[in-house]
Amino acid sequence: MPQEKRTGSGVMGSLMGFIGLSVAAGILVTAAVTPALAVTGMSAKGAINAFDGLPAFLDIDPPMERTNIYATASDGSHQLLATFFDQNRQQVAWDDVSQYFKDAAVSTEDPRFYDHGGVDLIGTTRAVLSNFVKGGEDTQGGSSITQQYVKNVLVQKAEQITNEDERKAAYLDATRTTPERKLREMRYSIGVEQKYTKDQVLLGYLNIANFGGVSYGVESASQYYFGKSAKDVTIEEAATLIAILNDPNGLRIDRPESTNNGEANGYKLTKIRRDYVIDKMYKEGKITKEQFETATATPVTPNLHPPSTGCQAAGNAAYFCNYVQNIILNSPEFGETVDDRRATLRRGGMDVYTSIDLDVQNAAQAAMDRWVPQERPGVNLGAAASTVEPGTGRVLAMVQNKTFSEDAQVGLASRSHTSINYNTDYNYGGSSGFQVGSQYKVFALLEWLKDGRSVNDSVLATRQTYTKWIDTCSPGGVATTKPWNPQNYDGNASGRITPYEATKRSVNTAFVQMASKLDLCEIRNTAQSLGVHRADGKELERNPASVLGSNEIAPLTMAAAIAGIAAQGKFCTPVAIDKITGPGGKDMAVPQSTCTQALTPEVANTAAYAMQAVFSPGGTAANAVVPGAPQFGKTGTADDATDTWVTGGTTKAVTSFWIGNVQAGDNGKRYSMYNVQANGTSAFQSKFRVFAGITSATIAKLGGDSFPKPSDALTKTKQVAVPDVSGQSVADATNALAGAGFNVVVGDPILSGVSAGMVANTEPGAGASVTVGNTITIRPSDGKGKQVPDVSGMNPDQAKSALQGVGFNKVDQKCVADPNAPGGDGKVTAQSPDANSMVNPGSASASITITKQSC
């Protein structure tokens, strides 16, 4: 700032103070620092003591540097998706900075840079004489390039403090104009030059300096203001940028509308300073007279290339980029707290190389755009698709039917824009999830197979009412519900059916029947072993309705789970980052996929065998099949078709596609996807079109192998012996038969000597070999039956007495003569009813045949 005119005595006092202080110090260093203190009245001894008491060296941490997120193209090149920064800076090496930059900076800011030891004695002295003694209207800078570098480093240290109060205090300490700060800056400068070469100091200065706004360092400034690298700038461009350093806010050339320094007046103020820089370069012998004349005659002409921070610059990969951003914000590898991780993202200078496959991504977005509109009048329509690589968890593509925007006002004004990523969980920038419908039946199928049952067992799929369930997560291992009588979507009953056919056609009643024989807790656990969880973070439901898909889950979660089946039971958590390099190209720790053998290969391969039927003729996904590789998967539709899905693919890539109501529409209603018009078809049918488009792209890029053969043990029809339950209660007999794998019905009571109400027998009977899943009929006893004794060989009186003993009041006799028979009254040789048969003697008579020598 301009200083007030000093009186003669003031000038003399300051000058004598300066001379006295310099002589008292007696050394060059002191002479270098004391002029700035002369006008303060500080003694030479005090200056020396203060100077010697300061730390000699400054730890130079890496400055804030932008983070770049990349995709890898088919040719192996890296394509920039987005950048994140508080300060737009790209550190570059010495050879990547034009010599014009180096010459312009030294000629203008510190001509004796390569001669002094960090503090320019002559420049500092001249500045003090001008600023404090002469009282000139304009102050002169006395700071060397090293001192300016030190100041910028201290400012950077302050700006990287996450605590706001501490950050403000540190920034003030690094920038306020006080003798103490100047003294410390000089001391640090001398120490810096003892540790680093001159070229290292100059490069550090050029990489850290602010060039207006968020442009920091010569590379980002060159890219922003002129659209070229720092190594390619011309003399006048380099001089323009070095000129901006004199007043980064006032001389920046990205405000063409400015009246003081804008396009209309040729950026007058900047040009004056630029020409001054060019003049200094010429006088220092860095450029020729011809170069000087040409450069000063060239107008200031910016070619602005504004940087974009955030995922909006990632085009159709914006939602994938947002997922990567949230991985960093949620992962401890990048800091202890969210604030620390956010600072790492925006200031850490990372190059993040992601898993996205641009060929699949572009094809997926093209399919989405072709078949799904961004919005429909009255309907809050959403659609999303995630593609995952089985066996690694790498996310290959992520698209949705919206344009990514973090501007809340834009989102409110248009349903075609949102920052919510429908593919992911709430904590990763997503929604609270969507009901997955019949896709969830897969986990009941898996539990069925884990329980040793076959996909070709017989299941009763008629509509039934259920109130009791096996649930080992509940007290007593049993859960009871209100009477539940689920039906199939089309209202039809299916009779007996195999789990294979039930999977193919997605038969609700069959899967509920299967679940009734399984453990709801274990079905839930099987789903969790494949990474399934609710998108809203709540506990995964395990009630009977969950078997049919009541849980709200994100598409990425479903894609990863089904990919685990494709990988023969090896589930891998989704991962979107392959590699990260930090400043200097050093590899950094990244979140890794955790892979576990969630299912045995036998179970996974048999489930995949059944799930291939879904894409066969008559299967629920037959409309989505494409040529080139075998496909498998499962469809799902929520109640009233407000959400509909298809998840599946090949051994190389699995995609989960969802389309439905993001929220209720304008009238508070959620619409059926059968009734919502998409692009040329219903929203329900559009899921097959989009899914097919994505799968075609994955097959073209990655191929697809045949799925492994299913397990013989899990595909054969099993037969077991019917347990003997006679004499048991109907309830106990039912449990025993169901435990053996049979369906059970209770028939009418039959004549039996067993206590009334207890089981008399079964049909088929005990010991019969019957296919698992078939129905066994329990026949209770009426309690009235008597067993007919075996009277063969008895004499007539003995036989009559035995039969009368069980209730036969009348016993008819018939005589048969046989000369060879023993003598006497004869023996019983036949009887009716037959021996051991069950009868009601009160309503029947008995007869016996006596054989003797003569009748």
Side-chain angles (χ1 to χ4, degrees), residues 252 255-269:
R252 55 195 291 187
R255 295 171 175 169
E257 72 285 353
S258 172
T259 56
N260 294 326
N261 189 51
E263 187 175 26
N265 63 13
Y267 300 95
K268 176 182 177 181
L269 299 181

Side-chain angles (χ1 to χ4, degrees), residues 437-755:
S438 294
Q439 293 178 111
Y440 205 87
K441 294 173 183 173
V442 167
F443 308 116
L445 173 65
L446 291 170
E447 186 57 28
W448 180 267
L449 298 172
K450 287 171 66 177
D451 204 41
R453 302 169 188 264
S454 170
V455 291
N456 289 315
D457 286 344
S458 178
V459 176
L460 185 62
T462 55
R463 190 174 180 184
Q464 301 177 56
T465 298
Y466 300 87
T467 58
K468 185 179 292 186
W469 306 83
I470 303 169
D471 182 7
T472 55
C473 290
S474 295
V478 176
T480 58
T481 63
K482 294 180 179 179
W484 187 43
N485 185 236
Q487 64 178 345
N488 296 315
Y489 185 77
D490 57 8
N492 294 329
S494 297
R496 305 203 67 82
I497 192 173
T498 64
Y500 178 90
E501 188 69 18
T503 302
K504 175 181 178 179
R505 293 163 42 204
S506 196
V507 180
N508 290 347
T509 52
F511 273 95
V512 174
Q513 173 67 201
M514 291 163 63
S516 73
K517 299 178 180 298
L518 301 171
D519 183 348
L520 293 179
C521 183
E522 287 303 319
I523 294 174
R524 190 275 310 273
N525 291 346
T526 293
Q528 288 181 331
S529 72
L530 289 164
V532 177
H533 57 274
R534 289 179 60 90
D536 58 11
K538 297 178 181 178
E539 183 178 353
L540 196 65
E541 295 176 356
R542 65 175 194 277
N543 55 51
S546 69
V547 174
L548 301 183
S550 61
N551 277 295
E552 296 174 331
I553 300 170
L556 179 60
T557 298
M558 291 304 300
I562 302 304
I565 300 174
Q568 301 192 63
K570 179 184 177 183
F571 166 70
C572 297
T573 56
V575 63
I577 299 173
D578 287 340
K579 178 182 178 181
I580 296 180
T581 58
K586 183 178 179 181
D587 286 346
M588 296 177 61
V590 299
Q592 299 290 324
S593 177
T594 300
C595 296
T596 56
Q597 194 67 39
L599 308 166
T600 65
E602 292 78 11
V603 167
N605 296 342
T606 306
Y609 161 72
M611 293 166 70
Q612 289 177 72
V614 174
F615 285 79
S616 68
T620 57
N623 288 341
V625 69
V626 296
Q631 290 138 64
F632 87 128
K634 187 71 185 73
T635 58
T637 301
D639 289 343
D640 300 320
T642 55
D643 300 285
T644 189
W645 300 66
V646 57
T647 299
T650 68
T651 59
K652 300 298 184 181
V654 168
T655 297
S656 183
F657 174 87
W658 158 84
I659 186 170
N661 295 261
V662 177
Q663 293 176 330
D666 293 342
N667 63 356
K669 176 182 177 182
R670 291 178 179 268
Y671 291 84
S672 167
M673 292 299 102
Y674 285 104
N675 300 327
V676 173
Q677 185 68 18
N679 292 340
T681 185
S682 69
F684 184 89
Q685 289 295 326
S686 71
K687 74 172 184 281
F688 299 124
R689 309 291 193 273
V690 178
F691 182 88
I694 298 173
T695 304
S696 293
T698 65
I699 292 174
K701 180 69 180 289
L702 306 171
D705 300 325
S706 297
F707 288 91
K709 292 183 178 180
S711 164
D712 288 341
L714 298 176
T715 52
K716 289 181 178 178
T717 300
K718 297 181 180 180
Q719 290 191 330
V720 298
V722 177
D724 184 357
V725 294
S726 59
Q728 298 182 15
S729 68
V730 171
D732 289 343
T734 298
N735 289 337
L737 292 168
F742 298 112
N743 294 314
V744 180
V745 296
V746 180
D748 295 331
I750 61 172
L751 184 67
S752 171
V754 176
S755 298

Side-chain angles (χ1 to χ4, degrees), residues 812-845:
D812 296 328
Q813 294 186 38
K814 178 181 180 182
C815 181
V816 175
D818 181 359
N820 297 319
D825 294 334
K827 302 291 184 182
V828 176
T829 56
Q831 70 179 83
S832 178
D834 293 337
N836 300 317
S837 62
M838 192 66 58
V839 295
N840 186 346
S843 60
S845 62

Side-chain angles (χ1 to χ4, degrees), residues 248-459:
N249 186 56
L251 298 180
R252 55 195 291 187
I253 54 173
D254 58 351
R255 295 171 175 169
E257 72 285 353
S258 172
T259 56
N260 294 326
N261 189 51
E263 187 175 26
N265 63 13
Y267 300 95
K268 176 182 177 181
L269 299 181
T270 304
K271 187 176 187 305
I272 292 172
R273 180 66 184 180
R274 183 206 70 174
D275 292 348
Y276 168 78
V277 173
I278 297 171
D279 180 66
K280 294 290 289 184
M281 293 174 71
Y282 172 61
K283 289 179 179 178
E284 292 293 326
K286 303 301 182 183
I287 57 175
T288 65
K289 183 177 182 181
E290 181 180 0
Q291 288 174 316
F292 163 77
E293 291 174 345
T294 300
T296 53
T298 302
V300 175
T301 309
N303 177 23
L304 298 179
H305 287 70
S308 176
T309 180
C311 289
Q312 292 183 139
N316 68 33
Y319 290 102
F320 173 81
C321 170
N322 180 253
Y323 176 55
V324 173
Q325 175 186 355
N326 278 284
I327 288 175
I328 294 172
L329 296 179
N330 280 283
S331 300
E333 288 89 346
F334 304 100
E336 292 185 4
T337 68
V338 173
D339 284 342
D340 292 337
R341 297 165 199 159
R342 185 173 289 107
T344 300
L345 174 65
R346 301 187 68 85
R347 306 171 182 177
M350 300 185 295
D351 285 327
V352 180
Y353 301 97
T354 65
S355 60
I356 191 172
D357 185 307
L358 290 177
D359 294 329
V360 177
Q361 175 71 21
N362 292 335
Q365 191 64 59
M368 181 72 78
D369 294 343
R370 168 67 181 85
W371 294 107
V372 183
Q374 287 196 323
E375 57 181 322
R376 274 285 178 255
V379 184
N380 202 332
L381 181 67
S386 291
T387 303
V388 172
E389 182 177 61
T392 67
R394 297 176 71 247
V395 181
L396 304 179
M398 183 177 286
V399 298
Q400 67 188 55
N401 71 321
K402 305 292 182 183
T403 299
F404 183 81
S405 175
E406 293 183 298
D407 188 328
Q409 296 303 314
V410 171
L412 290 173
S414 170
R415 283 181 177 156
S416 65
H417 293 73
T418 185
S419 63
I420 298 173
N421 188 350
Y422 305 144
N423 287 280
T424 59
D425 296 343
Y426 182 82
N427 288 338
Y428 283 80
S431 71
S432 58
F434 310 97
Q435 285 195 352
V436 294
S438 294
Q439 293 178 111
Y440 205 87
K441 294 173 183 173
V442 167
F443 308 116
L445 173 65
L446 291 170
E447 186 57 28
W448 180 267
L449 298 172
K450 287 171 66 177
D451 204 41
R453 302 169 188 264
S454 170
V455 291
N456 289 315
D457 286 344
S458 178
V459 176

Side-chain angles (χ1 to χ4, degrees), residues 204-266:
Y205 170 68
L206 292 173
N207 271 326
I208 202 172
N210 175 240
F211 290 85
V214 295
S215 295
Y216 287 78
V218 288
E219 178 66 19
S220 292
S222 299
Q223 295 283 5
Y224 173 45
Y225 288 114
F226 298 112
K228 60 179 64 175
S229 174
K231 64 182 178 181
D232 299 323
V233 295
T234 63
I235 294 172
E236 57 272 16
E237 289 168 345
T240 299
L241 295 180
I242 295 301
I244 291 174
L245 291 178
N246 187 249
D247 183 3
N249 186 56
L251 298 180
R252 55 195 291 187
I253 54 173
D254 58 351
R255 295 171 175 169
E257 72 285 353
S258 172
T259 56
N260 294 326
N261 189 51
E263 187 175 26
N265 63 13

